[in-house]
PDB file of all heavy atoms in Angstrom:
ATOM      1  N   TYR A 100      -9.641   1.811  -2.867  1.00  0.00           N
ATOM      2  CA  TYR A 100     -10.822   1.870  -3.696  1.00  0.00           C
ATOM      3  C   TYR A 100     -11.510   0.458  -3.635  1.00  0.00           C
ATOM      4  O   TYR A 100     -10.925  -0.530  -3.966  1.00  0.00           O
ATOM      5  CB  TYR A 100     -10.313   2.110  -5.203  1.00  0.00           C
ATOM      6  CG  TYR A 100     -11.395   2.070  -6.246  1.00  0.00           C
ATOM      7  CD1 TYR A 100     -12.573   2.819  -6.111  1.00  0.00           C
ATOM      8  CD2 TYR A 100     -11.282   1.237  -7.392  1.00  0.00           C
ATOM      9  CE1 TYR A 100     -13.607   2.794  -7.107  1.00  0.00           C
ATOM     10  CE2 TYR A 100     -12.247   1.189  -8.360  1.00  0.00           C
ATOM     11  CZ  TYR A 100     -13.437   2.024  -8.200  1.00  0.00           C
ATOM     12  OH  TYR A 100     -14.436   2.001  -9.205  1.00  0.00           O
ATOM     13  N   ARG A 103     -16.715  -3.925  -6.115  1.00  0.00           N
ATOM     14  CA  ARG A 103     -18.142  -4.177  -6.264  1.00  0.00           C
ATOM     15  C   ARG A 103     -18.213  -5.364  -7.252  1.00  0.00           C
ATOM     16  O   ARG A 103     -18.010  -5.171  -8.440  1.00  0.00           O
ATOM     17  CB  ARG A 103     -18.930  -2.950  -6.753  1.00  0.00           C
ATOM     18  CG  ARG A 103     -20.367  -3.064  -6.557  1.00  0.00           C
ATOM     19  CD  ARG A 103     -21.003  -1.750  -6.798  1.00  0.00           C
ATOM     20  NE  ARG A 103     -22.420  -2.015  -7.155  1.00  0.00           N
ATOM     21  CZ  ARG A 103     -23.235  -1.254  -7.828  1.00  0.00           C
ATOM     22  NH1 ARG A 103     -22.793  -0.097  -8.252  1.00  0.00           N
ATOM     23  NH2 ARG A 103     -24.398  -1.698  -8.135  1.00  0.00           N
ATOM     24  N   ARG A 105     -19.175  -8.473  -9.669  1.00  0.00           N
ATOM     25  CA  ARG A 105     -20.161  -8.638 -10.777  1.00  0.00           C
ATOM     26  C   ARG A 105     -21.220  -9.701 -10.453  1.00  0.00           C
ATOM     27  O   ARG A 105     -22.379  -9.505 -10.744  1.00  0.00           O
ATOM     28  CB  ARG A 105     -19.449  -9.042 -12.080  1.00  0.00           C
ATOM     29  CG  ARG A 105     -20.436  -9.380 -13.198  1.00  0.00           C
ATOM     30  CD  ARG A 105     -19.860  -9.295 -14.593  1.00  0.00           C
ATOM     31  NE  ARG A 105     -19.373  -8.004 -14.953  1.00  0.00           N
ATOM     32  CZ  ARG A 105     -20.071  -7.011 -15.474  1.00  0.00           C
ATOM     33  NH1 ARG A 105     -21.401  -7.152 -15.680  1.00  0.00           N
ATOM     34  NH2 ARG A 105     -19.491  -5.874 -15.749  1.00  0.00           N
ATOM     35  N   GLU A 132     -19.238   1.862  -9.137  1.00  0.00           N
ATOM     36  CA  GLU A 132     -19.184   1.014 -10.375  1.00  0.00           C
ATOM     37  C   GLU A 132     -18.726  -0.394 -10.081  1.00  0.00           C
ATOM     38  O   GLU A 132     -17.981  -0.628  -9.149  1.00  0.00           O
ATOM     39  CB  GLU A 132     -18.203   1.656 -11.415  1.00  0.00           C
ATOM     40  CG  GLU A 132     -18.543   3.075 -11.713  1.00  0.00           C
ATOM     41  CD  GLU A 132     -19.911   3.288 -12.425  1.00  0.00           C
ATOM     42  OE1 GLU A 132     -20.467   2.347 -12.994  1.00  0.00           O
ATOM     43  OE2 GLU A 132     -20.398   4.398 -12.424  1.00  0.00           O
ATOM     44  N   ILE A 133     -19.130  -1.363 -10.946  1.00  0.00           N
ATOM     45  CA  ILE A 133     -18.694  -2.792 -10.761  1.00  0.00           C
ATOM     46  C   ILE A 133     -17.178  -2.837 -11.076  1.00  0.00           C
ATOM     47  O   ILE A 133     -16.761  -2.453 -12.126  1.00  0.00           O
ATOM     48  CB  ILE A 133     -19.524  -3.697 -11.706  1.00  0.00           C
ATOM     49  CG1 ILE A 133     -20.933  -3.737 -11.154  1.00  0.00           C
ATOM     50  CG2 ILE A 133     -18.839  -5.069 -11.835  1.00  0.00           C
ATOM     51  CD1 ILE A 133     -21.853  -4.531 -12.128  1.00  0.00           C
ATOM     52  N   ASN A 134     -16.541  -3.389 -10.062  1.00  0.00           N
ATOM     53  CA  ASN A 134     -15.027  -3.636 -10.292  1.00  0.00           C
ATOM     54  C   ASN A 134     -14.593  -4.731  -9.346  1.00  0.00           C
ATOM     55  O   ASN A 134     -15.121  -4.800  -8.261  1.00  0.00           O
ATOM     56  CB  ASN A 134     -14.245  -2.369 -10.073  1.00  0.00           C
ATOM     57  CG  ASN A 134     -13.937  -2.054  -8.683  1.00  0.00           C
ATOM     58  OD1 ASN A 134     -12.880  -2.594  -8.151  1.00  0.00           O
ATOM     59  ND2 ASN A 134     -14.783  -1.332  -8.024  1.00  0.00           N
ATOM     60  N   GLU A 135     -13.630  -5.549  -9.803  1.00  0.00           N
ATOM     61  CA  GLU A 135     -13.173  -6.647  -9.001  1.00  0.00           C
ATOM     62  C   GLU A 135     -11.736  -6.426  -8.443  1.00  0.00           C
ATOM     63  O   GLU A 135     -10.819  -7.298  -8.533  1.00  0.00           O
ATOM     64  CB  GLU A 135     -13.357  -8.012  -9.728  1.00  0.00           C
ATOM     65  CG  GLU A 135     -14.876  -8.123  -9.967  1.00  0.00           C
ATOM     66  CD  GLU A 135     -15.364  -9.539 -10.232  1.00  0.00           C
ATOM     67  OE1 GLU A 135     -14.535 -10.436 -10.515  1.00  0.00           O
ATOM     68  OE2 GLU A 135     -16.553  -9.780 -10.149  1.00  0.00           O
ATOM     69  N   GLY A 136     -11.492  -5.233  -7.943  1.00  0.00           N
ATOM     70  CA  GLY A 136     -10.256  -4.941  -7.214  1.00  0.00           C
ATOM     71  C   GLY A 136      -8.994  -5.240  -8.027  1.00  0.00           C
ATOM     72  O   GLY A 136      -8.990  -4.971  -9.261  1.00  0.00           O
ATOM     73  N   GLY A 138      -8.023  -7.850  -9.151  1.00  0.00           N
ATOM     74  CA  GLY A 138      -8.232  -8.799 -10.305  1.00  0.00           C
ATOM     75  C   GLY A 138      -8.034  -8.067 -11.563  1.00  0.00           C
ATOM     76  O   GLY A 138      -7.480  -8.537 -12.539  1.00  0.00           O
ATOM     77  N   ASP A 139      -8.552  -6.812 -11.611  1.00  0.00           N
ATOM     78  CA  ASP A 139      -8.601  -6.013 -12.868  1.00  0.00           C
ATOM     79  C   ASP A 139      -7.805  -4.718 -12.744  1.00  0.00           C
ATOM     80  O   ASP A 139      -7.834  -3.938 -13.651  1.00  0.00           O
ATOM     81  CB  ASP A 139     -10.018  -5.706 -13.253  1.00  0.00           C
ATOM     82  CG  ASP A 139     -10.628  -6.773 -14.128  1.00  0.00           C
ATOM     83  OD1 ASP A 139      -9.948  -7.457 -15.036  1.00  0.00           O
ATOM     84  OD2 ASP A 139     -11.793  -7.165 -13.967  1.00  0.00           O
ATOM     85  N   PHE A 140      -7.161  -4.463 -11.667  1.00  0.00           N
ATOM     86  CA  PHE A 140      -6.363  -3.276 -11.536  1.00  0.00           C
ATOM     87  C   PHE A 140      -4.957  -3.633 -11.111  1.00  0.00           C
ATOM     88  O   PHE A 140      -4.777  -4.482 -10.156  1.00  0.00           O
ATOM     89  CB  PHE A 140      -6.919  -2.281 -10.472  1.00  0.00           C
ATOM     90  CG  PHE A 140      -8.173  -1.523 -10.906  1.00  0.00           C
ATOM     91  CD1 PHE A 140      -9.401  -1.950 -10.409  1.00  0.00           C
ATOM     92  CD2 PHE A 140      -8.143  -0.441 -11.800  1.00  0.00           C
ATOM     93  CE1 PHE A 140     -10.562  -1.284 -10.798  1.00  0.00           C
ATOM     94  CE2 PHE A 140      -9.302   0.188 -12.152  1.00  0.00           C
ATOM     95  CZ  PHE A 140     -10.525  -0.204 -11.666  1.00  0.00           C
ATOM     96  N   ALA A 153      -5.652  -1.164 -16.089  1.00  0.00           N
ATOM     97  CA  ALA A 153      -7.008  -1.726 -15.730  1.00  0.00           C
ATOM     98  C   ALA A 153      -7.634  -2.448 -16.901  1.00  0.00           C
ATOM     99  O   ALA A 153      -7.568  -2.114 -18.040  1.00  0.00           O
ATOM    100  CB  ALA A 153      -7.924  -0.461 -15.391  1.00  0.00           C
ATOM    101  N   GLY A 154      -8.216  -3.622 -16.503  1.00  0.00           N
ATOM    102  CA  GLY A 154      -8.787  -4.504 -17.496  1.00  0.00           C
ATOM    103  C   GLY A 154     -10.294  -4.434 -17.481  1.00  0.00           C
ATOM    104  O   GLY A 154     -10.892  -4.051 -16.413  1.00  0.00           O
ATOM    105  N   TYR A 155     -10.878  -4.676 -18.598  1.00  0.00           N
ATOM    106  CA  TYR A 155     -12.407  -4.759 -18.687  1.00  0.00           C
ATOM    107  C   TYR A 155     -12.731  -5.693 -19.788  1.00  0.00           C
ATOM    108  O   TYR A 155     -11.918  -6.134 -20.605  1.00  0.00           O
ATOM    109  CB  TYR A 155     -12.995  -3.344 -18.883  1.00  0.00           C
ATOM    110  CG  TYR A 155     -12.862  -2.747 -20.293  1.00  0.00           C
ATOM    111  CD1 TYR A 155     -13.847  -2.909 -21.207  1.00  0.00           C
ATOM    112  CD2 TYR A 155     -11.700  -2.077 -20.590  1.00  0.00           C
ATOM    113  CE1 TYR A 155     -13.714  -2.348 -22.502  1.00  0.00           C
ATOM    114  CE2 TYR A 155     -11.528  -1.559 -21.866  1.00  0.00           C
ATOM    115  CZ  TYR A 155     -12.550  -1.639 -22.777  1.00  0.00           C
ATOM    116  OH  TYR A 155     -12.360  -1.120 -24.071  1.00  0.00           O
ATOM    117  N   GLY A 156     -14.053  -6.032 -19.818  1.00  0.00           N
ATOM    118  CA  GLY A 156     -14.528  -6.937 -20.881  1.00  0.00           C
ATOM    119  C   GLY A 156     -15.256  -8.132 -20.234  1.00  0.00           C
ATOM    120  O   GLY A 156     -16.205  -8.632 -20.965  1.00  0.00           O
ATOM    121  N   PHE A 157     -14.970  -8.445 -19.053  1.00  0.00           N
ATOM    122  CA  PHE A 157     -15.643  -9.620 -18.475  1.00  0.00           C
ATOM    123  C   PHE A 157     -16.189  -9.345 -17.060  1.00  0.00           C
ATOM    124  O   PHE A 157     -17.358  -9.598 -16.780  1.00  0.00           O
ATOM    125  CB  PHE A 157     -14.738 -10.900 -18.402  1.00  0.00           C
ATOM    126  CG  PHE A 157     -14.298 -11.277 -19.847  1.00  0.00           C
ATOM    127  CD1 PHE A 157     -13.043 -10.947 -20.279  1.00  0.00           C
ATOM    128  CD2 PHE A 157     -15.180 -11.951 -20.590  1.00  0.00           C
ATOM    129  CE1 PHE A 157     -12.699 -11.231 -21.573  1.00  0.00           C
ATOM    130  CE2 PHE A 157     -14.855 -12.208 -21.958  1.00  0.00           C
ATOM    131  CZ  PHE A 157     -13.615 -11.892 -22.442  1.00  0.00           C
ATOM    132  N   ARG A 158     -15.424  -8.741 -16.246  1.00  0.00           N
ATOM    133  CA  ARG A 158     -15.906  -8.516 -14.835  1.00  0.00           C
ATOM    134  C   ARG A 158     -16.016  -6.971 -14.590  1.00  0.00           C
ATOM    135  O   ARG A 158     -17.104  -6.517 -14.303  1.00  0.00           O
ATOM    136  CB  ARG A 158     -14.929  -9.048 -13.848  1.00  0.00           C
ATOM    137  CG  ARG A 158     -14.767 -10.561 -14.000  1.00  0.00           C
ATOM    138  CD  ARG A 158     -16.003 -11.338 -13.553  1.00  0.00           C
ATOM    139  NE  ARG A 158     -15.828 -12.763 -13.654  1.00  0.00           N
ATOM    140  CZ  ARG A 158     -15.326 -13.537 -12.711  1.00  0.00           C
ATOM    141  NH1 ARG A 158     -14.909 -13.005 -11.568  1.00  0.00           N
ATOM    142  NH2 ARG A 158     -15.227 -14.822 -12.887  1.00  0.00           N
ATOM    143  N   THR A 159     -14.956  -6.277 -14.603  1.00  0.00           N
ATOM    144  CA  THR A 159     -14.950  -4.815 -14.267  1.00  0.00           C
ATOM    145  C   THR A 159     -15.555  -3.990 -15.355  1.00  0.00           C
ATOM    146  O   THR A 159     -15.257  -4.169 -16.568  1.00  0.00           O
ATOM    147  CB  THR A 159     -13.510  -4.390 -13.925  1.00  0.00           C
ATOM    148  OG1 THR A 159     -13.055  -5.070 -12.773  1.00  0.00           O
ATOM    149  CG2 THR A 159     -13.346  -2.891 -13.676  1.00  0.00           C
ATOM    150  N   GLU A 160     -16.317  -3.024 -14.982  1.00  0.00           N
ATOM    151  CA  GLU A 160     -16.963  -2.092 -15.906  1.00  0.00           C
ATOM    152  C   GLU A 160     -15.976  -1.024 -16.320  1.00  0.00           C
ATOM    153  O   GLU A 160     -15.264  -0.554 -15.366  1.00  0.00           O
ATOM    154  CB  GLU A 160     -18.206  -1.376 -15.419  1.00  0.00           C
ATOM    155  CG  GLU A 160     -19.479  -2.360 -15.299  1.00  0.00           C
ATOM    156  CD  GLU A 160     -19.963  -2.749 -16.686  1.00  0.00           C
ATOM    157  OE1 GLU A 160     -19.736  -1.982 -17.634  1.00  0.00           O
ATOM    158  OE2 GLU A 160     -20.585  -3.794 -16.762  1.00  0.00           O
ATOM    159  N   PRO A 161     -15.884  -0.620 -17.599  1.00  0.00           N
ATOM    160  CA  PRO A 161     -14.968   0.482 -17.934  1.00  0.00           C
ATOM    161  C   PRO A 161     -15.264   1.807 -17.091  1.00  0.00           C
ATOM    162  O   PRO A 161     -14.320   2.554 -16.768  1.00  0.00           O
ATOM    163  CB  PRO A 161     -15.225   0.755 -19.375  1.00  0.00           C
ATOM    164  CG  PRO A 161     -16.037  -0.354 -19.923  1.00  0.00           C
ATOM    165  CD  PRO A 161     -16.575  -1.169 -18.752  1.00  0.00           C
ATOM    166  N   ALA A 162     -16.510   1.971 -16.728  1.00  0.00           N
ATOM    167  CA  ALA A 162     -16.792   3.151 -15.892  1.00  0.00           C
ATOM    168  C   ALA A 162     -16.009   3.209 -14.546  1.00  0.00           C
ATOM    169  O   ALA A 162     -15.714   4.252 -14.004  1.00  0.00           O
ATOM    170  CB  ALA A 162     -18.325   3.268 -15.666  1.00  0.00           C
ATOM    171  N   ALA A 163     -15.737   1.957 -14.099  1.00  0.00           N
ATOM    172  CA  ALA A 163     -14.909   1.888 -12.886  1.00  0.00           C
ATOM    173  C   ALA A 163     -13.498   2.351 -13.099  1.00  0.00           C
ATOM    174  O   ALA A 163     -12.804   2.800 -12.104  1.00  0.00           O
ATOM    175  CB  ALA A 163     -14.864   0.459 -12.311  1.00  0.00           C
ATOM    176  N   HIS A 164     -12.986   2.304 -14.295  1.00  0.00           N
ATOM    177  CA  HIS A 164     -11.683   2.790 -14.595  1.00  0.00           C
ATOM    178  C   HIS A 164     -11.570   4.304 -14.340  1.00  0.00           C
ATOM    179  O   HIS A 164     -10.619   4.828 -13.718  1.00  0.00           O
ATOM    180  CB  HIS A 164     -11.207   2.490 -15.942  1.00  0.00           C
ATOM    181  CG  HIS A 164     -11.125   0.990 -16.244  1.00  0.00           C
ATOM    182  ND1 HIS A 164     -10.681   0.458 -17.458  1.00  0.00           N
ATOM    183  CD2 HIS A 164     -11.461  -0.078 -15.508  1.00  0.00           C
ATOM    184  CE1 HIS A 164     -10.690  -0.859 -17.424  1.00  0.00           C
ATOM    185  NE2 HIS A 164     -11.148  -1.176 -16.196  1.00  0.00           N
ATOM    186  N   TYR A 186     -10.205 -13.687 -17.921  1.00  0.00           N
ATOM    187  CA  TYR A 186     -11.433 -12.820 -17.536  1.00  0.00           C
ATOM    188  C   TYR A 186     -11.072 -11.698 -16.557  1.00  0.00           C
ATOM    189  O   TYR A 186     -11.795 -10.749 -16.393  1.00  0.00           O
ATOM    190  CB  TYR A 186     -12.415 -13.799 -16.771  1.00  0.00           C
ATOM    191  CG  TYR A 186     -11.818 -14.448 -15.568  1.00  0.00           C
ATOM    192  CD1 TYR A 186     -11.907 -13.857 -14.294  1.00  0.00           C
ATOM    193  CD2 TYR A 186     -10.952 -15.556 -15.674  1.00  0.00           C
ATOM    194  CE1 TYR A 186     -11.342 -14.427 -13.173  1.00  0.00           C
ATOM    195  CE2 TYR A 186     -10.384 -16.135 -14.536  1.00  0.00           C
ATOM    196  CZ  TYR A 186     -10.562 -15.496 -13.290  1.00  0.00           C
ATOM    197  OH  TYR A 186      -9.931 -16.034 -12.224  1.00  0.00           O
ATOM    198  N   HIS A 187      -9.866 -11.783 -15.972  1.00  0.00           N
ATOM    199  CA  HIS A 187      -9.381 -10.697 -15.102  1.00  0.00           C
ATOM    200  C   HIS A 187      -8.029 -10.269 -15.672  1.00  0.00           C
ATOM    201  O   HIS A 187      -7.280 -11.220 -16.157  1.00  0.00           O
ATOM    202  CB  HIS A 187      -9.108 -11.184 -13.678  1.00  0.00           C
ATOM    203  CG  HIS A 187     -10.239 -11.117 -12.744  1.00  0.00           C
ATOM    204  ND1 HIS A 187     -10.359 -12.040 -11.667  1.00  0.00           N
ATOM    205  CD2 HIS A 187     -11.324 -10.318 -12.602  1.00  0.00           C
ATOM    206  CE1 HIS A 187     -11.450 -11.703 -10.987  1.00  0.00           C
ATOM    207  NE2 HIS A 187     -12.010 -10.653 -11.456  1.00  0.00           N
TER     208      HIS A 187
END
Side-chain angles (χ1 to χ4, degrees):
Y100 174 54
R103 196 168 154 204
R105 174 161 299 277
E132 306 295 343
I133 291 175
N134 83 86
E135 299 200 345
D139 274 321
F140 287 105
Y155 72 98
F157 298 101
R158 300 290 182 86
T159 294
E160 286 293 334
H164 297 184
Y186 60 93
H187 273 151

